[in-house]
């Protein structure tokens, strides 16, 4: 069993409109945009990162806004819901705030004894806020939500699968323990994590396959401290028979990717070097940052990429 994985690192999804996406995360949810860059593999598309003040691993929701992309549909083989942690007692504030902002499909539920507000993002993305007691992490102090009510980071993700067996085994191999069950849900948790410690599997044998598009999670990334830990994880996964990519430099972390048995794309990302690598903490996310390999495209990209008004 691996011991290097310390919870989630980031969740990456697709959107149809950069401005709506930016407004939803910075204005409605009160996160900080910690990086404005491009998709390294398709630089005519933004890659937007939202998180806490410094974009701590376990707080970072990232998006590729592809103009004209069709809407995805939720189904089996994907992360169906991304769950953020908010302080105990804050759901009244959030219910009011989200309804004032016209957020769709707002409903209150309880899951694993946690009070939750579930809702849809601008492209039908599945989200929830879960009230979490004693979360040592701190919300961004400087955004549009008072820090006493603010989002602390991820609580976890819910993957919808037709069969949870092989993915459950993989999670256990990655250091997660099965800690609870409720209806169709099986809860896994990692000890000593960064706070974004939960992965719930929703097992629905008859579910139709998810269709990827706007509002779909593209992949979920797990956190390791550094490159040495990442190489250990990579070797262990290769030895177990997973097809794992070589280490890829993403400027703000190093990444490896592999496909989990239920169809979800997994990444393992390093906590180093972080989002302050090329910007002052006070000014994270303000200007367009380009990776070295695309720096020569700046004037072209500034024409193509739609402006984002903050
Ligand atoms: Zn990623």
């Amino acid at each position: 069993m691996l011991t290097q994985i310390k919870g989630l690192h980031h969740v990456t999804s697709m959107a149809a409109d950069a401005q709506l996406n930016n407004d939803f995360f910075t204005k409605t949810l009160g996160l900080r945009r910690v990086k404005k860059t491009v998709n390294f593999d398709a630089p005519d598309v933004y890659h937007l990162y939202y998180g806490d003040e410094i974009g701590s691993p376990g707080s970072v929701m990232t998006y590729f806004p592809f103009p004209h992309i069709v809407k995805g549909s939720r189904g089996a083989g994907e992360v169906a819901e991304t769950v953020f942690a908010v302080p105990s007692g804050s759901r009244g504030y959030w219910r009011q705030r989200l309804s004032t902002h016209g957020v769709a499909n707002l409903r209150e539920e309880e899951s694993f004894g946690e009070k939750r507000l579930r809702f849809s993002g601008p492209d039908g993305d599945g989200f929830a806020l879960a009230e979490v007691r004693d979360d040592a992490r701190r919300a961004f102090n400087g955004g549009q939500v008072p820090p006493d009510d603010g989002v602390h980071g991820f609580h976890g993700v819910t993957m919808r699968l037709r069969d949870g067996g092989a993915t459950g085994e993989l999670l256990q191999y990655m250091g997660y323990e099965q800690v609870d069950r409720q209806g169709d849900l099986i809860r896994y948790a990692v000890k000593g994590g960064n706070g974004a410690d939960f992965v719930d599997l929703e097992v629905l044998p008859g579910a139709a396959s998810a269709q990827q598009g706007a509002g779909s999670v593209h992949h979920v990334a797990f956190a390791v401290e550094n490159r040495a830990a990442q190489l250990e994880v990579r070797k262990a996964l290769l030895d177990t028979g997973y097809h794992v990519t070589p280490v890829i430099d993403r400027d703000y972390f190093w990444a490896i990717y592999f496909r989990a048995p239920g169809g979800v794309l997994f990444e393992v990302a390093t906590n180093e070097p972080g989002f302050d690598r090329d910007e002052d903490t006070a000014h994270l996310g303000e200007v367009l940052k380009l990776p070295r390999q695309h720096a020569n495209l700046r004037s072209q990209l500034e024409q193509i990429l739609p402006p984002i008004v903050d």
Side-chain angles (χ1 to χ4, degrees), residues 189-270:
V190 71
K191 280 210 178 83
N194 57 21
D197 297 342
F198 295 96
V199 175
D200 297 335
L201 302 186
E202 184 184 23
V203 182
L204 299 175
S209 293
Q211 302 296 321
Q212 289 259 302
S216 302
V217 171
H218 183 264
H219 63 268
V220 57
F222 295 87
V224 290
E225 193 56 43
N226 54 37
R227 299 189 72 187
Q230 185 180 52
L231 288 177
E232 290 164 11
V233 170
R234 182 170 186 274
K235 179 173 187 313
L237 289 167
L238 284 169
D239 290 348
T240 312
Y242 285 98
H243 298 282
V244 188
T245 65
V247 176
I248 300 171
D249 182 357
R250 295 301 191 198
D251 274 14
Y252 311 105
F253 48 86
W254 280 271
I256 57 174
Y257 304 87
F258 64 104
R259 186 75 61 181
V264 179
L265 184 61
F266 279 18
E267 174 181 343
V268 176
T270 58

Side-chain angles (χ1 to χ4, degrees), residues 121-233:
D123 295 296
D125 331 45
F127 290 122
L129 300 177
E131 285 196 358
V132 177
R133 215 178 287 280
D134 302 324
D135 186 344
R137 300 174 297 171
R138 295 169 62 174
F140 174 41
N141 181 5
Q144 305 221 357
V145 169
D148 285 351
D149 293 311
V151 170
H152 285 184
F154 295 123
H155 188 47
V157 290
T158 303
M159 297 182 200
R160 187 168 295 156
L161 303 171
R162 284 201 198 94
D163 178 346
T167 300
E169 278 173 33
L170 169 62
L171 288 169
Q172 285 173 320
Y173 183 66
M174 290 168 65
Y176 283 75
E177 274 177 59
Q178 190 181 314
V179 292
D180 210 348
R181 282 187 92 107
Q182 181 189 306
D184 302 323
L185 292 165
I186 310 170
R187 166 156 279 197
Y188 293 84
V190 71
K191 280 210 178 83
N194 57 21
D197 297 342
F198 295 96
V199 175
D200 297 335
L201 302 186
E202 184 184 23
V203 182
L204 299 175
S209 293
Q211 302 296 321
Q212 289 259 302
S216 302
V217 171
H218 183 264
H219 63 268
V220 57
F222 295 87
V224 290
E225 193 56 43
N226 54 37
R227 299 189 72 187
Q230 185 180 52
L231 288 177
E232 290 164 11
V233 170

Side-chain angles (χ1 to χ4, degrees), residues 2-309:
L2 298 172
T3 56
Q4 296 89 344
I5 288 169
K6 304 298 180 191
L8 301 180
H9 186 285
H10 63 270
V11 176
T12 294
S13 296
M14 294 176 287
D17 187 281
Q19 182 72 57
L20 281 179
N21 182 254
N22 181 79
D23 291 351
F24 184 77
F25 284 95
T26 62
K27 297 182 178 155
T28 307
L29 293 186
L31 302 185
R32 184 181 197 187
R33 193 177 69 226
V34 293
K35 196 63 64 181
K36 179 160 80 166
T37 183
V38 293
N39 181 335
F40 288 13
D41 304 316
D44 55 341
V45 171
Y46 277 122
H47 195 178
L48 303 175
Y49 291 75
Y50 310 97
D52 67 5
E53 179 156 15
I54 58 166
S56 303
S59 78
V60 184
M61 185 78 220
T62 99
Y63 271 86
F64 298 126
F66 288 98
H68 315 303
I69 191 181
V70 298
K71 226 170 225 186
S73 65
R74 303 287 74 75
E78 67 172 355
V79 171
E81 191 167 78
T82 302
V83 185
F84 295 95
V86 294
S88 281
S90 66
R91 76 185 182 288
Y93 167 84
W94 280 107
R95 191 175 46 235
Q96 175 71 40
R97 181 177 184 83
L98 296 180
S99 99
T100 306
H101 281 77
V103 168
N105 298 321
L106 192 56
R107 64 249 190 240
E108 206 162 328
E109 279 177 20
E110 195 161 316
S111 196
F112 297 115
E114 298 161 355
K115 302 205 160 52
R116 290 189 178 197
L117 277 177
R118 306 179 71 187
F119 54 97
S120 298
D123 295 296
D125 331 45
F127 290 122
L129 300 177
E131 285 196 358
V132 177
R133 215 178 287 280
D134 302 324
D135 186 344
R137 300 174 297 171
R138 295 169 62 174
F140 174 41
N141 181 5
Q144 305 221 357
V145 169
D148 285 351
D149 293 311
V151 170
H152 285 184
F154 295 123
H155 188 47
V157 290
T158 303
M159 297 182 200
R160 187 168 295 156
L161 303 171
R162 284 201 198 94
D163 178 346
T167 300
E169 278 173 33
L170 169 62
L171 288 169
Q172 285 173 320
Y173 183 66
M174 290 168 65
Y176 283 75
E177 274 177 59
Q178 190 181 314
V179 292
D180 210 348
R181 282 187 92 107
Q182 181 189 306
D184 302 323
L185 292 165
I186 310 170
R187 166 156 279 197
Y188 293 84
V190 71
K191 280 210 178 83
N194 57 21
D197 297 342
F198 295 96
V199 175
D200 297 335
L201 302 186
E202 184 184 23
V203 182
L204 299 175
S209 293
Q211 302 296 321
Q212 289 259 302
S216 302
V217 171
H218 183 264
H219 63 268
V220 57
F222 295 87
V224 290
E225 193 56 43
N226 54 37
R227 299 189 72 187
Q230 185 180 52
L231 288 177
E232 290 164 11
V233 170
R234 182 170 186 274
K235 179 173 187 313
L237 289 167
L238 284 169
D239 290 348
T240 312
Y242 285 98
H243 298 282
V244 188
T245 65
V247 176
I248 300 171
D249 182 357
R250 295 301 191 198
D251 274 14
Y252 311 105
F253 48 86
W254 280 271
I256 57 174
Y257 304 87
F258 64 104
R259 186 75 61 181
V264 179
L265 184 61
F266 279 18
E267 174 181 343
V268 176
T270 58
N271 291 351
E272 59 181 3
F275 294 96
D276 58 358
R277 179 190 160 272
D278 59 356
E279 284 180 306
D280 212 48
T281 308
H283 296 286
L284 286 178
E286 291 176 8
V287 299
L288 179 67
K289 304 302 286 187
L290 295 176
R292 205 176 38 241
Q293 64 271 31
H294 299 317
N296 59 324
L297 300 175
R298 177 170 290 275
S299 57
Q300 221 171 305
L301 293 175
E302 282 174 347
Q303 303 266 313
I304 300 170
L305 293 164
I308 297 173
V309 181

